[in-house]
Amino acid sequence: MTRRDTYVCGIDAAIDVVGGKWKVLILWALHAEGTCRFGQLKREIPGVTEKVLTSHLRELEADGIVRREVYEERVPRVEYSLTPLGASLNEALEPLGAWGRAHLLPQDHHDRRSA
Amino acid sequence: MTRRDTYVCGIDAAIDVVGGKWKVLILWALHAEGTCRFGQLKREIPGVTEKVLTSHLRELEADGIVRREVYEERVPRVEYSLTPLGASLNEALEPLGAWGRAHLLPQDHHDRRSA
DNA sequence: CAGTATCCTTCACGATACTG
DNA sequence: CAGTATCGTGAAGGATACTG
């Protein structure tokens, strides 16, 4: 998504953070699964390439949404998790998610609440 | 924004509707101003070109977010307004807007949380 | 395992000119 | 007034191969 330099309201600023093609899915996965490793995320988000997943994660990290922790062990390990800011973003997205579920997705009982 | 054919959750579906570069600004303007004519919208959203404004409006119309009404008069007139669906979308976006205002915009009188 | 490194494609958006 | 009609560009995203 094209970074804007001036924002008119909070919404377009937020959309800018969250508007990448796979970003909300990353947020969703990290929220649902908790801390995730790279390969785990890749599996949770079928279709995304490693390159794009990496760049999205780095952008979310730069925006303070995601925490990235590297463990220098014999077997390399990196763990991703939501920052408090990321968790609050996810909460702010919930009404939008509910709207999408109710109006855009095929069917679904729309009384299914998620935390 | 790239249309996706399958959605994983309501949020990415909603982002798809609302993720065009100027779309939330259109929603914002229609919400704030009420019914608007084309030129009016153009003035409310500085920087957007006629071509892009047109195509965004048509997409929002196709998604049921915006109502477009043509008046065949001596002076051509077209009025845009939010549909009930569009109004509900705007409401669902409000928490995201609040989040963006609190965390992304320079400053209101708001105190800034952790850097 | 968790990425890089290249190369390539697409299309969203922009600039400008013209019109019913 | 409210748009089309073209043409052009850049960056986001994808495919594939390779690596510390």
Side-chain angles (χ1 to χ4, degrees):
Chain A
M1 170 154 279
T2 334
R3 286 280 156 183
R4 208 189 292 259
D5 23 291
T6 62
Y7 296 109
V8 174
C9 64
I11 299 177
D12 64 330
I15 292 281
D16 212 6
V17 168
V18 101
K21 184 165 181 185
W22 307 91
K23 286 189 181 174
V24 295
L25 301 185
I26 294 173
L27 295 194
W28 177 267
L30 285 177
H31 173 71
E33 304 281 308
T35 298
C36 273
R37 301 176 59 179
F38 186 82
Q40 222 173 330
L41 279 173
K42 212 177 75 178
R43 260 171 273 123
E44 292 294 324
I45 306 172
V48 69
T49 62
E50 288 152 353
K51 176 200 162 188
V52 170
L53 180 55
T54 301
S55 76
H56 277 191
L57 282 168
R58 295 291 151 85
E59 286 173 24
L60 289 170
E61 190 193 2
D63 286 330
I65 305 303
V66 156
R67 178 183 303 114
R68 176 171 183 268
E69 224 147 352
V70 182
Y71 299 89
E72 295 290 2
E73 300 168 342
R74 262 213 5 257
V75 176
R77 187 159 62 95
V78 177
E79 291 191 344
Y80 293 95
S81 57
L82 290 176
T83 62
L85 184 63
S88 73
L89 172 57
N90 239 331
E91 277 176 42
L93 278 169
E94 181 47 38
L96 188 62
W99 183 90
R101 259 178 268 127
H103 299 292
L104 300 178
L105 296 189
Q107 22 73 29
D108 203 19
H109 295 222
H110 54 294
D111 50 8
R112 189 181 60 184
R113 299 272 295 115
S114 50
Chain B
M1 170 152 272
T2 335
R3 285 282 154 182
R4 208 189 291 261
D5 23 291
T6 62
Y7 296 109
V8 175
C9 65
I11 299 178
D12 65 330
I15 291 283
D16 212 6
V17 168
V18 101
K21 184 164 180 187
W22 308 92
K23 286 189 181 174
V24 295
L25 301 185
I26 293 172
L27 295 194
W28 177 268
L30 285 176
H31 173 69
E33 305 281 309
T35 297
C36 275
R37 300 176 59 180
F38 186 82
Q40 222 172 330
L41 279 173
K42 213 177 75 178
R43 261 170 273 123
E44 292 295 323
I45 306 172
V48 70
T49 63
E50 288 152 353
K51 177 199 162 190
V52 171
L53 180 55
T54 301
S55 77
H56 278 190
L57 281 167
R58 293 293 152 84
E59 287 174 23
L60 288 170
E61 189 193 1
D63 287 330
I65 304 304
V66 155
R67 180 182 303 114
R68 177 173 184 267
E69 225 148 350
V70 181
Y71 299 89
E72 295 290 0
E73 300 169 343
R74 263 214 5 256
V75 176
R77 188 159 62 95
V78 178
E79 291 190 344
Y80 293 95
S81 56
L82 290 177
T83 62
L85 184 63
S88 73
L89 172 57
N90 240 330
E91 277 176 42
L93 279 169
E94 182 44 40
L96 188 62
W99 183 90
R101 259 177 269 128
H103 299 291
L104 301 179
L105 295 189
Q107 205 80 354
D108 291 331
H109 52 82
H110 229 276
D111 72 3
R112 195 161 42 151
R113 319 284 314 198
S114 61

